[in-house]
Amino acid sequence: MSEYLVIVESPAKAKTIGKYLGKKYTVKASMGHVRDLPKSQLGVDVEKNFEPKYITIRGKGDVIKSLRDARKKAKKVFLAADPDREGEAIAWHLATLLDVNQDEACRVVFHEITKDAVRDAFHQPRKLNHHLINAQQTRRILDRLVGYRLSPLLWRKVKKGLSAGRVQSVAVRLIVDREREIRAFEPQEYWTVDAQFQVPEGKFKARFYGYDNTKTELPDRSAVDALLEKIDGQPFAVERVKRSERRRNPSPPFTTSSLQQEAARKLGFRASKTMSVAQQLYEGLDVGAEGSVGLITYMRTDSTRIAETAQTEARQFIAERYGANYVPKEARQFSTKNNAQDAHEGIRPTSVLRTPEAIKEHLSRDQYRLYKLIWERFVASQMAHAVLDTTTVDISANGAWFRATGSVVKFPGFMAVYTEGTDDQPSEEQDKKLLPPIEEGQVLPEPEVVPEQHFTEPPPRYSESSLVKAMEELGIGRPSTYAPTMETILKRGYVVLDQKRFFPTELGEIVVDLLVQNFRQLIDVDFTAHLEKQLDLIEEGKTDWVQLLEEFNRELEADLEKAEATLEHVQIADEESDVECEKCGRKMVYKHGRYGKFLACPGFPECRNTKPIVKEVGVDCPICSKPLVERRGKRKVFFGCSGYPDCEYVLWDRPTGALCPVCYHPMVEKKAKGGVKLVCSNESAHPDAATPERSKGTKNKKLS
């Protein structure tokens, strides 16, 4: 019989921790939350200080029984859920269900799952932190009050199935406001004029700056013509050469927000994917002889603080691999934003000595790419600044000044490892160019003068990366809420993600307008940010959570009563397609479902015909010659015959348009080490796996 029972959230975490604790400990997983508010009712007694009515989550019966059986055999229970509000709440629910004495030190917290961190945590368990629990519980009740009071109003006045959320509604408003800003934008004309010089040492380009060294705009063609006339036939002389040394500091270690942004920029990851893969790296993976080990620190954090031991290890590593001049004189300290919670460190590898290359063979492609990003960012954050030599050259011709800039890396510093990506910003390639040797007073050869017309552009639509950044800067939500918020607004059909940019739907705009007109405070950015600060104060024990709920609910009830009386029914017309319903002849309309848009007959309920929206892939079915189309299943995209159900031909890999020279079936793209390879989709035609390669994982039906 084990003396101690340890409960964590996931089996992967249980496996990693179990190997560090020894035979006296039994480690089990709760599989996340075990209790929650009921789905069938509000589940909050507003009249009794907002007392929540928790129930066991459906489907968790076997898990709870297993935990109770293990509890009977153990002398003591340790609750080791994640080190945040949500984890504290899970620990509290488990303590309640399993009759764990909450006056005892039963809570164990660690910020990385390594041998030393886990053992140290078990040497200093603590009591449950009820300030943390209250903060989580308050957020849950706030969201329940909004969702269960406001959503039914939307069902009655707008459309069934809608929902409103305290954070999600504000996120949709940001997207709607940006779209309207783009629509209202009026482009302004402006021109640039470049002088392209050819000197013996090479080519370079200077851009018109202004007249007599004063910045001057070129708003139209007449201004450009006046400039061209002024410099026509005039000598171009170098008036000034300014050389300076510029230092560039590294970015801090990742927070949840910056990790999601950078993984989107550099890896093309959705925020939800980033958090899923990061969770795997945190909970532990088998890396060969070392066994299962947590590879990164806790991934839900808005702090950039780094443990002194980790900094010391990083500095030693940098000195050995890159040289002593790559190590700053003092360990770097990064400032943390005012509203950041500093309970956790920034996201870093649990050991910098565990390089990406050393463990690559043990990780999936996504795990490796994200770990490499985190490792490089952390190592760079502890390195010396980069030094760049910058040169600015001012050239004049009859009082018209042109300016050329360039730079060269004198000492790469942290840039030898990593540089941060950017959102919606022009390339810095021109700034990086090294200019040829130029001296003051030098007369340059006649340049080629190139005028070019431009128009100002509206602000870009939000990407996942820039929306996360905006939510963080505005104080909307917390690290753990960014990814689920974006998934929710997509699922509800309030926005769509097209070419990695958010567009509001008509439904999204209608709901935002309704909320702005009737629940101005609820959808106000500043009010939502204020609530987040209040939740932080509850966590710190400085604000009463019941009082906060009373004030919020009073305002919500007043707005609901007013909206119920004054709000008229809003009719949303479905967008009509050019596809005719084969059952009744009506023009089908576009609908939003769980897996995206689909076509439905507007004659519902008399006619219930629906069909998926299909996209042809430019390849014909080898069985019946009808076009192959892209279809979406529950888990992935596949490619099937448009003649279904008469023809059931299907491919699980994307066809390229090429045909196999042996059997004339489609060639498909198959993922392989080092990239993608071209293989034949028809396995039966190549039983000996001869050239051309065949796709082993493809199961085609009705192949001749």
Side-chain angles (χ1 to χ4, degrees):
M1 182 179 81
S2 299
E3 292 186 34
Y4 307 108
L5 171 63
V6 181
I7 306 176
V8 297
E9 299 100 311
S10 75
K13 190 174 175 182
K15 178 184 176 184
T16 308
I17 291 171
K19 77 168 194 171
Y20 298 139
L21 294 178
K23 295 180 180 179
K24 291 185 177 181
Y25 294 81
T26 296
V27 186
K28 285 188 166 289
S30 69
M31 310 303 290
H33 278 276
V34 290
R35 292 201 310 170
D36 197 6
L37 300 175
K39 291 183 178 181
S40 59
Q41 56 181 278
L42 180 65
V44 178
D45 194 333
V46 177
E47 304 301 323
K48 291 185 178 178
N49 292 330
F50 297 89
E51 182 182 331
K53 301 175 182 178
Y54 292 112
I55 63 168
T56 301
I57 295 173
R58 181 177 294 180
K60 286 296 181 79
D62 290 343
V63 172
I64 293 171
K65 182 180 183 304
S66 173
L67 293 176
R68 280 177 170 154
D69 289 343
R71 165 77 176 96
K72 293 172 185 176
K73 301 173 185 176
K75 184 169 67 176
K76 185 173 177 60
V77 177
F78 290 106
L79 305 168
D82 286 345
D84 56 12
R85 293 176 189 167
E86 212 68 31
E88 202 72 17
I90 290 174
W92 173 62
H93 286 303
L94 286 167
T96 304
L97 277 176
L98 302 177
D99 295 323
V100 175
N101 186 349
Q102 297 184 30
D103 291 327
E104 292 183 359
C106 60
R107 180 78 167 109
V108 174
V109 173
F110 33 79
H111 303 278
E112 59 183 71
I113 305 178
T114 57
K115 188 175 185 177
D116 289 343
V118 170
R119 289 186 172 179
D120 287 348
F122 276 88
H123 286 146
Q124 44 187 350
R126 61 166 172 78
K127 294 180 180 180
L128 287 168
N129 183 332
H130 284 274
H131 295 318
L132 274 174
I133 295 164
N134 288 338
Q136 187 275 343
Q137 187 166 252
T138 305
R139 177 189 290 279
R140 188 74 185 92
I141 295 172
L142 282 170
D143 293 342
R144 178 55 68 100
L145 290 173
V146 172
Y148 276 55
R149 292 281 175 80
L150 191 48
S151 295
L153 177 72
L154 295 178
W155 299 348
R156 291 192 297 275
K157 301 291 187 177
V158 184
K159 185 180 180 182
K160 281 190 176 181
L162 298 185
S163 74
R166 194 177 52 82
V167 174
Q168 75 182 50
S169 298
V170 180
V172 177
R173 183 180 184 178
L174 292 178
I175 294 167
V176 168
D177 287 351
R178 175 61 58 88
E179 190 68 26
R180 289 173 175 170
E181 193 178 347
I182 292 169
R183 289 175 195 160
F185 181 81
E186 295 184 3
Q188 301 294 315
E189 180 185 11
Y190 72 97
W191 288 72
T192 57
V193 176
D194 291 334
Q196 298 178 346
F197 296 93
Q198 174 74 61
V199 294
E201 294 83 359
K203 296 179 181 180
F204 72 98
K205 180 172 69 176
R207 176 157 290 180
F208 173 70
Y209 177 77
Y211 293 113
D212 299 319
N213 198 25
T214 301
K215 181 71 173 171
T216 308
E217 302 296 335
L218 298 173
D220 50 36
R221 181 74 212 199
S222 62
V224 173
D225 289 341
L227 169 64
L228 296 179
E229 185 178 347
K230 186 175 180 66
I231 64 176
D232 185 36
Q234 299 296 319
F236 283 75
V238 178
E239 294 286 346
R240 182 169 57 212
V241 178
K242 182 181 178 182
R243 295 182 176 89
S244 60
E245 188 177 270
R246 181 163 62 95
R247 294 183 175 185
R248 186 173 172 184
N249 290 319
S251 301
F254 282 128
T255 61
T256 303
S257 166
S258 59
L259 176 63
Q260 290 176 356
Q261 293 172 55
E262 194 74 337
R265 296 183 195 116
K266 292 193 171 182
L267 308 181
F269 283 10
R270 298 276 313 280
S272 54
K273 179 174 182 176
T274 298
M275 295 311 291
S276 173
V277 177
Q279 184 89 32
Q280 296 162 18
L281 296 174
Y282 165 70
E283 291 186 343
L285 295 166
D286 196 322
V287 291
E290 200 176 357
S292 183
V293 62
L295 297 177
I296 64 170
T297 53
Y298 193 53
M299 66 285 161
R300 293 187 179 91
T301 177
D302 47 13
S303 170
T304 55
R305 179 180 58 82
I306 294 296
E308 187 177 335
T309 53
Q311 285 188 318
T312 301
E313 183 185 65
R315 289 167 66 83
Q316 292 172 349
F317 175 84
I318 294 164
E320 292 172 9
R321 173 167 284 201
Y322 299 99
N325 55 338
Y326 281 82
V327 183
K329 290 182 180 179
E330 295 182 1
R332 290 192 179 278
Q333 303 296 332
F334 295 92
S335 59
T336 296
K337 295 179 182 179
N338 292 334
N339 64 337
Q341 299 297 292
D342 203 40
H344 316 305
E345 292 183 59
I347 304 170
R348 62 168 175 82
T350 51
S351 173
V352 76
L353 304 179
R354 208 175 281 114
T355 64
E357 295 75 23
I359 60 174
K360 182 177 182 179
E361 63 178 307
H362 304 292
L363 307 182
S364 70
R365 182 172 181 267
D366 289 341
Q367 289 167 349
Y368 168 73
R369 294 171 72 205
L370 190 64
Y371 179 72
K372 184 171 183 282
L373 192 70
I374 293 168
W375 186 92
E376 288 177 346
R377 172 84 164 220
F378 170 66
V379 172
S381 76
Q382 304 305 306
M383 294 177 75
H385 56 249
V387 180
L388 292 84
D389 276 340
T390 62
T391 305
T392 302
V393 179
D394 288 325
I395 303 161
S396 72
N398 193 23
W401 284 56
F402 290 74
R403 177 167 289 177
T405 59
S407 65
V408 61
V409 177
K410 184 177 180 181
F411 172 66
F414 74 92
M415 292 170 63
V417 176
Y418 173 89
T419 53
E420 185 174 25
T422 55
D423 279 317
D424 307 313
Q425 292 183 13
S427 169
E428 296 182 357
E429 287 305 309
Q430 176 64 24
D431 188 47
K432 294 177 183 175
K433 257 184 186 173
L434 178 63
L435 297 173
I438 300 172
E439 299 299 330
E440 289 183 6
Q442 181 178 347
V443 177
L444 299 169
E446 184 180 354
E448 178 186 358
V449 179
V450 182
E452 189 173 355
Q453 183 186 36
H454 307 272
F455 291 92
T456 55
E457 294 185 356
R461 291 180 177 87
Y462 285 110
S463 62
E464 280 202 317
S465 170
S466 58
L467 184 60
V468 165
K469 184 177 182 181
M471 290 173 69
E472 181 189 36
E473 289 176 347
L474 294 168
I476 302 168
R478 274 285 174 238
S480 60
T481 66
Y482 301 140
T485 295
M486 288 186 286
E487 291 301 313
T488 298
I489 63 178
L490 281 166
K491 189 167 68 173
R492 299 296 182 193
Y494 296 148
V495 300
V496 293
L497 197 57
D498 186 15
Q499 296 182 332
K500 299 186 177 182
R501 297 284 170 174
F502 284 110
F503 292 75
T505 61
E506 181 191 13
L507 176 63
E509 294 194 45
I510 288 172
V511 170
V512 164
D513 287 343
L514 184 150
L515 293 175
V516 168
Q517 293 163 15
N518 297 277
F519 301 90
R520 183 171 296 275
Q521 184 172 255
L522 182 65
I523 202 167
D524 180 71
V525 170
D526 292 337
F527 177 72
T528 305
H530 171 71
L531 269 184
E532 292 294 345
K533 291 177 182 176
Q534 293 298 108
L535 290 171
D536 292 342
L537 291 174
I538 291 171
E539 180 175 322
E540 296 166 16
K542 297 177 181 177
T543 292
D544 182 74
W545 67 278
V546 174
Q547 183 181 339
L548 173 65
L549 288 170
E550 285 175 345
E551 292 173 0
F552 178 86
N553 191 59
R554 194 181 306 119
E555 295 282 346
L556 180 62
E557 290 283 0
D559 287 342
L560 279 167
E561 188 175 337
K562 182 180 176 182
E564 194 69 62
T566 61
L567 188 62
E568 296 181 0
H569 184 75
V570 180
Q571 183 66 42
I572 301 178
D574 290 313
E575 181 186 354
E576 188 175 270
S577 76
D578 57 0
V579 179
E580 192 174 280
C581 175
E582 62 269 25
K583 293 186 178 180
C584 69
R586 295 181 176 94
K587 290 290 186 183
M588 302 190 83
V589 296
Y590 293 104
K591 295 280 189 180
H592 286 275
R594 185 175 179 184
Y595 303 110
K597 288 176 78 173
F598 64 96
L599 289 167
C601 182
F604 183 88
E606 293 85 13
C607 180
R608 297 174 177 265
N609 187 28
T610 63
K611 58 172 59 178
I613 297 172
V614 295
K615 182 168 65 175
E616 293 188 8
V617 295
V619 182
D620 290 337
C621 173
I623 304 301
C624 69
S625 299
K626 290 183 179 179
L628 294 181
V629 295
E630 182 178 306
R631 298 186 188 276
R632 182 171 294 277
K634 289 185 177 180
R635 296 187 178 178
K636 63 178 291 186
V637 170
F638 65 96
F639 309 89
C641 180
S642 56
Y644 179 85
D646 296 327
C647 178
E648 297 181 353
Y649 183 82
V650 63
L651 292 171
W652 299 109
D653 301 298
R654 181 175 291 277
T656 64
L659 297 179
C660 172
V662 176
C663 68
Y664 302 104
H665 277 67
M667 298 292 285
V668 297
E669 294 176 348
K670 194 76 173 174
K671 287 184 179 179
K673 284 189 176 180
V676 176
K677 65 180 179 180
L678 203 62
V679 299
C680 177
S681 60
N682 186 8
E683 183 174 342
S684 61
H686 310 285
D688 57 352
T691 304
E693 292 184 341
R694 59 186 175 86
S695 175
K696 296 179 181 177
T698 303
K699 295 181 180 178
N700 298 324
K701 297 181 179 181
K702 294 191 176 179
L703 291 178
S704 55

